[in-house]
Amino acid sequence: MSKLQLRIGLIVVFLGLSFYFLYPTYEWYSLPQHERDQREKLKDSILSKILNLGLDLRGGVHLILELDADKVEKGINVADALDRAIEIIRNRVDQFGVSEPLIAKQGEKWIVVQLPGIKDPERAKDLIGKTALLEFRLVDDSTALGEITEKLQQKNAKMAEIDKYPEILKLLPKDRLILPGKEDRFYVVKSSPELTGATLVDAKVQLGGEFGYPHVSLTFNNDGAKIFARVTEAYVEKNLAIVLDGVVQSAPVIRSRIPDGKAIIEGNFTMEDAKLLATVLRAGALPAPVRIIEERTVGPTLGEDSIKSSIVAGLTGVLLVIIFMVVYYKSEGLIADFAMLLNLVFLLGVMAYFRFTLTLPGIAGMILTLGMAVDANVLILERVREELRAGKSPRLSIDAGYQKAFVTILDSNLTTVIAAVFLFQFGTGPVKGFAVTLIIGLAISIFTAVFVTKTIYDFLFQEHIIEEIKF
């Protein structure tokens, strides 16, 4: 096999691999939206093979969360707490069924969360922002709550304002605190919990009770079950408050000892609320509360408009370039156009193989890459034109043109790569995406603009398909 055949074979193999890696993406985006939504919920295996769309193209929620470092438990490093929070949020998002989320650390106490395809941002914020600190606290059945309520009513104040009245706060027994309930009432409970969610092993939604409402069923591990059995045995006929993130969900009366380590949380939940609560409980409690400091929501319609605008802009630009190259460089311009289109196929194939997420800045990087690819062929063809004017034959002019233009092409691409490396190093998400797309695209553009087009010329001259070059 000759060197030319090997080069042609290499190009064909790359082309075949690109189409192979791109086919699942084509198949996926050919499906109707409702079928894609259904397959996403089922976590179809094709999802691991497609080129994903970023938040700006698909729509979704972008959040930046700040960990409350002041409330991290003593003895735990803030950096460790942040890593733990990221893992817990990732578990929650995975269990919620969001595909291709981005959850990453930013700075010393920030977490970036991107959830493509989310159509209910409020539910997403509930899922991520809930601390999910589950506690079981004994309810104080003394007259303290009644006395405090009466004193506050005399001052025409509400229970939430009790901190403004230290003289009334003194009525609260030691080792007790007041917590709000879910249904507009307050409870006096022990300040130290009898049991926490640390020993929880499972939480799931069940239907039950008199009216068949959904509730969350809890199961503790052996240690938790022993503690729960001891507590329920010691406080029969007492109320045990189930507290989630400082709010009493319910305070059922303990009728007898519960030895099996199982409990339920009731609270007039809707099915969706119960599922959300079970999800966050299974994933575990955050090491400290998180606060949303930045929120951006991109609607799916805006994403579709961005895709349509990008396609129109890209096709218009490519078409104009193709027409210009054919008009100005004739058949040689057509070869350059072919290399440019090949560049696009190779670039998309590589992005699909590495499962890149395509964003608007990424598309900008692709378009810039195509421009650089055409620019390389313009340099080559102008050098060939000079060689022809110097009286060389077409075959020698092609060889000399490629040889003399290569250093210039390499220099120009190398300087762009250096700029892209700095963008990647110091930029944030979308800028990094642009930089990566640009670097890969430039490497491919050298391959298509130099290697592929030179191979085409060598083949055409060898087979005597062309004998001369006319610009």
Side-chain angles (χ1 to χ4, degrees), residues 2-15:
S2 68
K3 287 185 179 179
L4 180 59
Q5 288 173 325
L6 281 174
R7 287 157 61 192
I8 293 173
L10 185 65
I11 295 168
V12 171
V13 168
F14 280 170
L15 190 61

Side-chain angles (χ1 to χ4, degrees), residues 5-71:
Q5 288 173 325
L6 281 174
R7 287 157 61 192
I8 293 173
L10 185 65
I11 295 168
V12 171
V13 168
F14 280 170
L15 190 61
L17 286 174
S18 298
F19 281 121
Y20 174 76
F21 292 128
L22 280 174
Y23 181 73
T25 302
Y26 167 76
E27 183 183 5
W28 176 255
Y29 291 106
S30 299
L31 296 172
Q33 183 63 48
H34 65 87
E35 188 169 345
R36 276 185 273 160
D37 292 341
Q38 186 64 27
R39 288 197 181 191
E40 276 188 344
K41 290 179 181 176
L42 298 174
K43 298 190 176 181
D44 196 302
S45 60
I46 195 174
L47 290 169
S48 63
K49 302 173 185 174
I50 63 170
L51 187 60
N52 291 294
L53 299 181
L55 207 67
D56 48 1
L57 295 178
R58 189 182 174 192
V61 180
H62 170 94
L63 301 170
I64 294 182
L65 310 171
E66 183 180 60
L67 187 76
D68 190 346
D70 295 335
K71 295 188 177 178

Side-chain angles (χ1 to χ4, degrees), residues 350-383:
V350 170
M351 293 175 72
Y353 175 74
F354 288 106
R355 299 193 61 219
F356 280 18
T357 298
L358 189 61
T359 62
L360 275 177
I363 292 176
M366 289 170 57
I367 293 173
L368 181 57
T369 297
L370 295 180
M372 296 287 287
V374 173
D375 184 56
N377 280 116
V378 168
L379 285 171
I380 292 168
L381 293 174
E382 287 302 317
R383 292 297 303 185

